[in-house]
Amino acid sequence: WITSMLSVAFLERAVIQYARRWIVPRIGVFFSGLNIVELVCFMMLSLVTLNFDFVLIHAAYVIAVVVGGFTGFIYMVERSVGSKQILLGVLACAIGAFFFVFEIGLHKWFNQVDISHVFMMIASVFYYKGSRRLIEGGGTIHH
């Protein structure tokens, strides 16, 4: 749970940092601070209650709202392949969450947990490829 929450928080932080060149400085400062506060709060809630729902809520908020929102904004500004790949990762996470939340499994040996982890793995590949592309110059689409 802890490594999951940390990895999502690092992704959140990276997207906020990347977007800082186009956003009002106060917004960057606010979301960077919120990144730490929300991580600590949700991590404490998860560990004190031993309730996985707090891990889910944290991941859903960070991936859908912050990563999806900031990356969508980045895509609108620079039309980069890298930001598009990160958005595909957000979509893959959403599909995995759908299977997990609605407990849709294919078999007792390949249940909703397994399916959601497959989609998280796919999302991780998209996040990696997208971030590499952004680091290497964005991969801006030229029309």
Side-chain angles (χ1 to χ4, degrees):
W1 293 5
I2 293 171
T3 55
S4 166
M5 294 178 88
L6 285 171
S7 64
V8 168
F10 286 142
L11 175 61
E12 175 185 21
R13 189 132 194 110
V15 169
I16 293 166
Q17 279 301 117
Y18 189 85
R20 279 186 174 230
R21 66 182 84 175
W22 298 290
I23 60 175
V24 177
R26 285 182 312 193
I27 293 173
V29 169
F30 172 78
F31 277 98
S32 292
L34 184 61
N35 170 247
I36 294 166
V37 170
E38 127 244 313
L39 173 64
V40 170
C41 288
F42 277 102
M43 195 173 287
M44 294 300 292
L45 286 168
S46 300
L47 295 174
V48 169
T49 65
L50 296 179
N51 186 343
F52 187 69
D53 289 345
F54 291 113
V55 178
L56 290 175
I57 294 166
H58 176 254
Y61 161 73
V62 169
I63 298 296
V65 176
V66 181
V67 174
F70 274 93
T71 305
F73 172 75
I74 293 166
Y75 182 75
M76 295 305 289
V77 170
E78 67 178 23
R79 298 277 191 226
S80 65
V81 173
S83 56
K84 190 176 192 178
Q85 289 173 318
I86 292 172
L87 287 172
L88 288 171
V90 171
L91 177 63
C93 269
I95 295 168
F98 177 82
F99 280 93
F100 184 83
V101 169
F102 292 103
E103 298 183 1
I104 300 170
L106 300 177
H107 188 271
K108 70 178 183 176
W109 299 112
F110 195 67
N111 63 23
Q112 74 274 8
V113 176
D114 302 313
I115 294 170
S116 67
H117 282 105
V118 168
F119 280 100
M120 285 192 287
M121 178 193 64
I122 292 167
S124 296
V125 171
F126 278 122
Y127 295 146
Y128 174 76
K129 287 179 173 261
S131 62
R132 289 292 310 178
R133 200 71 183 251
L134 291 175
I135 290 168
E136 292 167 355
T140 303
I141 299 169
H142 300 287
H143 298 283

